[in-house]
Amino acid sequence: MVVLLPERARRHGSPQGAAQQVPFGLIVMGAPLLELKSIRKTFPGVVALADVTFDLKAGEVHALVGENGAGKSTLLSVMNGLTAPDSGEIRIQGQPVVLSGPTVALANRLALVHQELVLCPNLSVAENIFLGREPKARLGRGNRVALNRMAEDLLGEIHVNLDPARKVGELSLNEQQIVEICRALASRPRVLVFDEPTASLNDDQVGHLLGIIRKLKANGLGVIYVSHRLGEVLDISDRVTVLRDGHVVGTREIAGLHEAALVSLMVGREHKPGEAAYKERQYGAVALEVKAISKASVFDDVSLEVRAGEIVGIAGLLGCQREAVARSIFGAASIDRGEIRIRGKAVALRSPREAIRAGIGFMPADRKGEGLVLPMSVGDNLGMAILRRLGRFGLLKRRQKNATANELVRKLAIKVSGLFQLASQLSGGNQQKIVIGKWIARGGDIVIAEDPTRGVDVGAKFEIWCTIQGLADEGKAVLLLTTELQEMMDACDRILVMSRGRVTGHFDRKDFSAEAIAHCFVA
């Protein structure tokens, strides 16, 4: 087994394959669980981390915040052994260590809950949670009954009712995030890093997760909490460290710290509260009409309509099946009965290609897995939805494509070094802007947006909401799904509520109330 190699052993040499593990059972009095001292990391032309110092104590939640591109992801990669720093020192319980890979970190009970899912879709929930740690029966065969029982117990700790035998590929993004969290908890870590763990969770699930974190903290666990949801940071954390442009601009005690002051540290200027202001609009004709659509064992008798220039939200708890409804409208899943009408005309949308031709754009919550082609350039991703328009006699009109892409980069304030930069190299907020820009280029009448601000910082979030409001201002019909109920209430003209696959509530803007909407979650 590969484990952490203390600095002393590394300097004086060790036999090939020998390993030493820092013993967590031996507490070094006064030493933090984890220390990073003067960590520096550069990439070609970019200083990602500049002499970053950070520490974590036992029984503490230490938050790490900053705008997209501030250096948080690079610092987490250093902690997890995915990225080797150019200089600096890492200590675990006072002992210098070399983190040469995630297995090294995990062997010493340092686990990471990834923001972007790293699950095996063809394996079950239980198999993913305990991958590599499965209980064995006689003759070395896996004990599936014990495995499922262990998974049920762990899911029960965070109050989630999820079938451990289900294939992960069949789950919604929210449910997959729960599996990711459980997999990290299954290693029973001493240091646990949460990277945007609630980005896809609703308020109820967030409350359960924060409750679990408090229990882990009370048991002496050290938690590093990375989130753009500053309300959660202030609620769960003891200290917070702010990164900006690869530098630590401050570490503060949470007691007495206000959100406005925290945002000001992040962005380097005074923060003026307020989301993208809602604007009353004149609505046009009904652009999208869904009439009593049903899918066996998934959703039943769902009806809705969205007019031109209107933003309609679908709210609900994990498992309410609103995502399944959205994907059926986009032709990514079939329906058993019911009707979908586009601009008054009944349509049979048997694939996303047909939905796109009918004027529907879809912004998935999983932007990296479904919204972008990460190995392709920014320009190619922005032009992906209009290739037919840009082609002639089998040749691509590159000048026209680049002109369109440059205009979108300017309009959406996408921070890139050039159109040839790979989408994989951008921050989450800039990746999301490309997903939005792709459908702006397409120019359809209807846009379905799933969690458009998932995992993006406060500045990018404001810009994205302004862009979505702008789409409605231009006369597009917007169907919005987001786990952030307050953001939905800020943006929408109307809100539908779903529970267990059925519509349980319908609210006009004048009737918006978080309590009334939440009451329909369990109707």
Side-chain angles (χ1 to χ4, degrees), residues 71-362:
K72 302 188 303 298
S73 296
T74 304
L75 188 59
L76 294 189
S77 293
V78 169
M79 292 181 190
N80 198 41
L82 288 169
T83 298
D86 299 333
S87 60
E89 184 180 57
I90 301 173
R91 290 175 173 262
I92 291 184
Q93 291 192 223
Q95 299 192 42
V97 297
V98 176
L99 297 178
S100 57
T103 305
V104 172
L106 194 59
N108 287 271
R109 298 170 66 188
L110 192 156
L112 172 65
V113 179
H114 297 271
Q115 176 187 356
E116 304 300 338
L117 304 176
V118 285
L119 301 172
C120 301
N122 294 327
L123 298 182
S124 70
V125 169
E127 288 167 333
N128 270 277
I129 291 175
F130 294 102
L131 190 63
R133 298 187 294 271
E134 302 89 342
K136 300 296 182 182
R138 292 181 179 179
L139 302 178
R141 291 179 297 181
N143 188 336
R144 193 170 298 278
V145 173
L147 183 69
N148 288 343
R149 188 183 303 119
M150 290 164 58
E152 284 181 353
D153 291 343
L154 192 56
L155 287 161
E157 290 184 21
I158 56 173
H159 307 282
V160 172
N161 183 19
L162 194 61
D163 183 359
R166 282 186 69 187
K167 292 285 192 292
V168 162
E170 300 173 356
L171 304 180
S172 69
L173 184 63
N174 296 350
E175 292 168 326
Q176 290 182 21
Q177 183 68 62
I178 290 290
V179 176
E180 187 75 59
I181 292 168
C182 286
R183 184 163 70 173
L185 291 176
S187 67
R188 300 304 178 188
R190 189 67 182 271
V191 175
L192 186 56
V193 183
F194 284 96
D195 183 11
E196 297 287 351
T198 63
S200 299
L201 304 183
N202 55 51
D203 291 342
D204 186 52
Q205 292 294 337
V206 169
H208 286 313
L209 176 62
L210 297 186
I212 291 297
I213 291 175
R214 291 187 180 98
K215 291 179 183 177
L216 297 172
K217 169 186 167 181
N219 290 334
L221 191 82
V223 175
I224 299 171
Y225 196 85
V226 182
S227 179
H228 290 304
R229 295 181 173 183
L230 300 185
E232 292 174 14
V233 168
L234 296 172
D235 182 25
I236 195 64
S237 305
D238 300 290
R239 288 188 294 159
V240 57
T241 290
V242 181
L243 288 179
R244 190 194 319 141
D245 299 327
H247 295 77
V248 172
V249 295
T251 295
R252 302 283 190 273
E253 298 288 338
I254 287 295
L257 185 64
H258 299 289
E259 185 170 329
L262 186 54
V263 174
S264 296
L265 280 172
M266 291 170 58
V267 301
R269 59 184 182 276
E270 183 181 357
H271 172 61
K272 298 180 179 180
E275 295 295 331
Y278 171 81
K279 295 182 290 186
E280 290 189 5
R281 291 175 293 271
Q282 295 296 318
Y283 309 133
V286 174
L288 170 66
E289 185 177 10
V290 175
K291 302 180 69 175
I293 64 172
S294 298
K295 176 74 172 178
S297 303
V298 182
F299 55 83
D300 184 52
D301 197 31
V302 174
S303 296
L304 61 88
E305 64 177 38
V306 190
R307 291 167 287 183
E310 185 179 31
I311 303 176
V312 174
I314 306 180
L317 297 179
L318 180 69
C320 72
Q321 303 299 341
R322 59 182 180 167
E323 292 88 358
V325 170
R327 287 167 187 267
S328 293
I329 296 172
F330 191 58
S334 62
I335 58 175
D336 297 330
R337 62 180 184 275
E339 186 177 63
I340 298 173
R341 302 179 72 89
I342 305 294
R343 294 179 292 278
K345 181 180 178 181
V347 293
L349 303 176
R350 293 176 290 268
S351 69
R353 182 189 298 270
E354 293 183 358
I356 292 170
R357 288 177 177 171
I360 303 176
F362 185 78

Side-chain angles (χ1 to χ4, degrees), residues 309 363 436 440 447 466-478:
M363 304 174 192
I436 295 172
I440 291 177
V447 175
C466 286
T467 300
I468 289 175
Q469 294 278 11
L471 294 175
D473 292 341
E474 294 171 6
K476 298 187 188 300
V478 180

